[in-house]
């Protein structure tokens, strides 16, 4: 829809809509309605504010925890948050993503090949899940 927009939205609006869409897909793919901490996902706030801070012995932040100066998501941390489901292919279109932490859930299926196309990705944490298959060759580049 955003890539073939007949109303010709400005490119920055297309990017914002696309980013929100991808994050919504992530939310639904990971069982977001059952998360322990909802991280304000799908709220009216800008997606760079979709996070929550939990105070226990340590301050812990979950959700979209960082964006760059262009308001593109660079860090998503939804660890130990009752996540389940599969990692959606759409994540590969978060082109500024540097850190993805989905540790400690019931994720199943395979790691999408497209994640290897995220040239800025420095940290991919998927431990303590039920993923299967091999690590995509695209991640070894």
């Amino acid at each position: 829809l955003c890539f073939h927009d007949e109303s010709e939205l400005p490119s920055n609006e297309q990017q914002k809509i696309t980013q929100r869409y991808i994050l919504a897909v992530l939310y639904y793919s990971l069982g977001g309605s059952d998360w322990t901490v909802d991280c304000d996902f799908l709220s009216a706030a800008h997606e760079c504010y979709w996070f929550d801070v939990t105070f226990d012995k340590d301050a812990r932040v979950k959700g979209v925890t960082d964006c760059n100066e262009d308001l593109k998501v660079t860090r998503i941390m939804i660890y130990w948050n009752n996540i389940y489901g599969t990692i959606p292919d759409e994540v590969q279109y978060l082109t500024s993503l540097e850190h993805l932490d989905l540790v400690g859930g019931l994720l199943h299926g395979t790691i999408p090949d497209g994640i290897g196309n995220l040239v800025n990705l420095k940290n991919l944490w998927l431990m303590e899940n039920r993923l299967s298959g091999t690590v995509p060759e695209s991640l070894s580049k």
Side-chain angles (χ1 to χ4, degrees):
L1 177 65
C2 287
F3 300 113
H4 304 289
D5 178 27
E6 293 180 14
S7 65
E8 298 183 22
L9 286 171
S11 64
N12 64 331
E13 284 298 310
Q14 288 180 8
Q15 291 171 359
K16 180 180 179 184
I17 291 168
T18 301
Q19 179 168 271
R20 286 181 79 87
Y21 169 77
I22 294 165
L23 291 169
V25 169
L26 183 70
Y27 175 85
Y28 287 112
S29 294
L30 302 183
S33 62
D34 292 323
W35 290 353
T36 307
V37 178
D38 73 7
C39 308
D40 287 336
F41 263 65
L42 308 185
S43 71
H46 189 280
E47 52 276 15
C48 291
Y49 297 101
W50 288 356
F51 65 89
D52 195 285
V53 180
T54 304
F55 293 98
D56 48 20
K57 65 178 181 174
D58 301 312
R60 298 172 196 246
V61 183
K62 293 183 181 180
V64 174
T65 62
D66 206 5
C67 290
N68 63 19
E69 61 277 352
D70 295 326
L71 299 178
K72 292 183 180 177
V73 173
T74 59
R75 182 180 295 253
I76 298 173
M77 299 175 63
I78 312 174
Y79 57 92
W80 295 108
N81 200 26
N82 197 37
I83 59 176
Y84 57 84
T86 59
I87 303 169
D89 291 330
E90 288 83 355
V91 170
Q92 71 180 305
Y93 300 111
L94 293 173
T95 56
S96 296
L97 193 63
E98 297 174 5
H99 184 99
L100 180 60
D101 184 342
L102 303 176
V103 169
L106 296 174
L107 298 181
H108 62 275
T110 60
I111 301 170
D113 281 334
I115 285 184
N117 298 329
L118 293 169
V119 296
N120 295 308
L121 191 66
K122 297 174 185 144
N123 297 297
L124 177 61
W125 294 5
L126 303 172
M127 297 83 70
E128 304 286 332
N129 279 290
R130 296 181 178 172
L131 296 168
S132 59
T134 59
V135 174
E137 191 174 314
S138 60
L139 281 171
S140 65
K141 294 178 183 177

